[in-house]
Amino acid sequence: MDWTEFAIRLLVAFLLGSAIGLERQWRQRMAGLRTNALVATGASLFVMLSVELCYHCSLVCLEEDAARVRALLLQSLSLGHMRLRSLHSEDLETHKGRVEVKAKLVTQTRDDELLEQAISRISLEPSVIAVRWRVVEQEFG
């Protein structure tokens, strides 16, 4: 979301809250113009600033290199603004000696290029068999 869209949404929330507040003040209710305008603006800010984008990464590698692959993933993502929500490894039942490493990452802004660079670097490892990533939660609104 760019700054103009952010400002427009904030202005619309303020105007709609003011309209509700004006109506309530005209009818002499307790919560009037200022209260409703502030509540609507604050709620709009809370929603717009708390949006997070979630990425899921999945890597299949040989069992003996699972720790190194996890370390490479963490190292390559530490330079960016993505935060690690969870990191999980489990043995694949269908293929003995292989481990699937799953990571969930969150960020405020979409940065597919950073994730693609990290995944591309890891996919060059000889023990990595399969790599994939996807966006799970889109921005709201």
Side-chain angles (χ1 to χ4, degrees):
M1 177 181 330
D2 60 348
W3 287 104
T4 56
E5 184 179 353
F6 184 85
I8 289 171
R9 287 183 181 196
L10 192 62
L11 181 65
V12 167
F14 177 78
L15 292 174
L16 291 175
S18 296
I20 292 170
L22 189 63
E23 185 271 334
R24 290 188 57 82
Q25 193 165 344
W26 180 60
R27 294 181 186 239
Q28 297 179 353
R29 304 281 186 216
M30 291 292 287
L33 177 67
R34 285 183 298 176
T35 303
N36 280 286
L38 287 173
V39 167
T41 304
S44 175
L45 278 172
F46 178 77
V47 169
M48 287 189 296
L49 294 177
S50 65
V51 171
E52 286 189 338
L53 193 63
C54 186
Y55 290 99
H56 281 196
C57 299
S58 176
L59 305 124
V60 177
C61 63
L62 298 178
E63 188 174 17
E64 57 269 7
D65 289 333
R68 190 165 62 94
V69 169
R70 287 195 323 250
L72 278 172
L73 179 65
L74 292 175
Q75 179 185 12
S76 58
L77 292 173
S78 66
L79 301 175
H81 52 275
M82 291 187 183
R83 296 184 324 267
L84 185 69
R85 183 182 284 175
S86 69
L87 183 62
H88 179 70
S89 298
E90 64 182 42
D91 294 330
L92 293 176
E93 296 177 6
T94 56
H95 298 91
K96 299 295 180 194
R98 293 184 183 177
V99 175
E100 183 177 21
V101 178
K102 295 179 183 177
K104 292 181 183 177
L105 309 160
V106 291
T107 182
Q108 290 288 328
T109 59
R110 186 169 183 153
D111 193 358
D112 295 346
E113 186 177 329
L114 174 68
L115 187 60
E116 187 63 38
Q117 287 175 355
I119 296 298
S120 296
R121 163 64 183 94
I122 294 170
S123 68
L124 295 175
E125 292 294 313
S127 63
V128 175
I129 298 162
V131 179
R132 69 174 182 244
W133 64 271
R134 62 187 170 103
V135 178
V136 177
E137 300 166 8
Q138 293 289 340
E139 290 181 319
F140 305 120

